[in-house]
Amino acid sequence: MTTTATGPLAGLLVADFSRVLAGPYATMLLADLGADVVKVEGPQGDETRTWMPPVRGDVSTYYLGVNRGKRSIALDLREEADAAVARELAARADVVIENFKPGGLAKYGLDYAAVSAANPGSVYASISGFGSGEGRHVPGYDLMVQAISGLMSLTGDPDGPPYRAGISVFDVMAGNHAVIGILAALRHRDATGEGQHVEVNLLSSALTGLVNHSSAYAAGGVVPYRMGNAHPSVFPYEPLPTADNDLIVAAANDGQFRRLCEVLDLPDVPDDPRFARNADRTKNREELRPLLEERLKTRGADEWFDALTKVGVPCGPINTIDGGFAMAERFGLDPVVEVGDGDRAVPTTRHPIRFSATPAAYRLPPPELDEHGAELRAWLTEAAND
């Protein structure tokens, strides 16, 4: 079966046995870059098809957001005929990706051992919540990992309850890590002809993704706790009130702080021993904050944003998502692209990476369940009989 794909991954076939978010996000990114992604769904389809509202027409926008560029085939792996089609797909694929419970595909002959035996050059990527060892039987949902990893202990007001992040941050992070692992394994395969098993789990993605907080514990023996919107090691690095809305101010070094004070007409503050260095400002933040707030309250957030960014002081208004898209438009980032034609056209968020020679492309709208099932079954049956 041929495709008209372009891009750095054109010619790669990806058998996508994943569902919900981490895996589908990863395979969408691969599809944008030219890979031919075949989304294998159960008879009822990916769960996110029914995660609504919000909707576009009668389709969940959640599903639409992570499934462009793919072809769908519905297979009931409990039926041997369908399992055989799935095995043939895996045998032909350059990449197989799945997020079943570890070991869950073995009974269908679709685990790594079986697939690699039939297809030694395949890159087989598994995404789980807690790995394939002692945590293999624990269901892996992002909210659980936000709690278990410690993220929720870092999120929220110091005197209030812990909060989850507003998105499934570790699903997205694990999806990105899966893409990194797949691309690295493909490079190894290109050099040696050998495929391999790439394993990603949400908890490991979370712990590396907690970065400075993870290091505070691992290297310093310090257990961080939530500080609201404040930063434990830098000040000012938080929202501050203006005449209308709050403004994030992130003057993270001495030069930025001096320029901030110049624009705020606080010429003596940078040379005050209490505020001269970042460590001083962090220690004496309760004395410094009111000085900054008094000046910031004389103008609105957007006005301060323009004035401060002109001199290189990092800052930004706290927008709702529509404001975020508007800011991206202002900066020429063209954040929305349309995929599909006519009634199937869907506005979607642009791929985050730009390439000078092999740009991302948006060839197919998010597929309807089993939309490409007939053609894929015919191709795989023909391939199996060759």
Side-chain angles (χ1 to χ4, degrees):
M1 178 175 291
T2 60
T3 67
T4 57
T6 59
L9 301 183
L12 284 177
L13 175 62
V14 178
D16 182 5
F17 291 90
S18 69
R19 58 196 189 278
V20 186
L21 182 51
Y25 180 71
T27 54
M28 180 182 72
L29 297 180
L30 297 174
D32 290 346
L33 300 182
D36 179 12
V37 177
V38 176
K39 183 177 179 66
V40 179
E41 303 184 69
Q44 304 306 313
D46 191 313
E47 294 98 305
T48 60
R49 289 182 180 274
T50 63
W51 285 10
M52 53 182 71
V55 298
R56 179 179 178 85
D58 58 356
V59 182
S60 159
T61 58
Y62 197 122
Y63 171 80
L64 294 176
V66 290
N67 283 291
R68 67 174 175 242
K70 308 173 188 180
R71 295 183 292 164
S72 170
I73 181 171
L75 297 174
D76 187 344
L77 298 181
R78 296 167 298 184
E79 299 292 334
E80 176 53 29
D82 279 5
V85 172
R87 288 193 294 270
E88 181 62 30
L89 174 63
R92 290 298 183 106
D94 298 283
V95 176
V96 176
I97 183 167
E98 57 89 14
N99 63 350
F100 283 67
K101 286 185 180 180
L105 285 174
K107 58 189 173 184
Y108 307 118
L110 289 165
D111 57 316
Y112 171 64
V115 170
S116 62
N119 184 1
S122 63
V123 171
Y124 189 106
S126 297
I127 303 174
S128 64
F130 303 97
S132 57
E134 294 301 314
R136 64 187 180 278
H137 298 304
V138 181
Y141 284 82
D142 184 272
L143 181 57
M144 294 169 56
V145 178
Q146 290 197 32
I148 290 170
S149 67
L151 175 67
M152 290 180 65
S153 76
L154 300 169
T155 309
D157 187 84
D159 299 320
Y163 277 93
R164 73 174 184 91
I167 64 164
S168 295
V169 61
F170 295 137
D171 269 328
V172 174
M173 194 176 292
N176 280 314
H177 289 160
V179 171
I180 293 168
I182 288 167
L183 296 179
L186 286 170
R187 188 176 191 278
H188 173 77
R189 188 193 71 170
D190 290 345
T192 67
E194 298 174 347
Q196 62 181 298
H197 194 185
V198 175
E199 293 190 74
V200 174
N201 71 81
L202 270 64
L203 183 55
S204 292
S205 288
L207 295 180
T208 190
L210 292 175
V211 288
N212 56 301
H213 295 297
S214 293
S215 183
Y217 173 69
V222 174
V223 177
Y225 291 98
R226 56 188 173 277
M227 299 177 62
N229 288 314
H231 193 289
S233 308
V234 181
F235 186 85
Y237 198 94
E238 61 185 61
L240 296 172
T242 72
D244 47 24
N245 301 311
D246 283 357
L247 180 77
I248 293 291
V249 177
N253 61 50
D254 296 343
Q256 291 170 347
F257 180 69
R258 183 171 291 276
R259 293 194 294 276
L260 169 67
C261 291
E262 289 172 355
V263 174
L264 295 184
D265 195 22
L266 295 169
D268 299 328
V269 169
D271 297 316
D272 188 316
R274 296 173 298 169
F275 314 131
R277 299 172 304 163
N278 175 68
D280 303 319
R281 295 189 290 275
T282 302
K283 177 182 178 181
N284 298 302
R285 67 176 73 205
E286 299 307 322
E287 298 173 62
L288 176 55
R289 184 183 288 107
L291 301 179
L292 301 177
E293 290 181 354
E294 181 180 7
R295 294 297 304 146
L296 286 167
K297 288 179 179 177
T298 63
R299 299 160 73 177
D302 289 341
E303 191 175 355
W304 282 122
F305 172 74
D306 290 336
L308 291 170
T309 53
K310 282 181 181 178
V311 298
V313 176
C315 65
I318 300 177
N319 292 324
T320 49
I321 286 179
D322 56 334
F325 274 86
M327 190 71 79
E329 289 282 4
R330 171 180 170 179
F331 295 153
L333 300 180
D334 301 324
V336 177
V337 294
E338 192 168 270
V339 58
D341 301 309
D343 293 341
R344 293 293 302 282
V346 178
T348 184
T349 308
R350 178 180 295 278
H351 188 92
I353 304 171
R354 291 183 183 255
F355 295 81
S356 63
T358 54
Y362 312 95
R363 293 173 293 122
L364 297 171
E368 297 175 355
L369 179 60
D370 203 40
E371 179 178 346
H372 309 91
E375 66 182 82
L376 287 165
R377 281 185 178 84
W379 174 61
L380 292 167
T381 301
E382 176 186 356
N385 293 330
D386 285 346

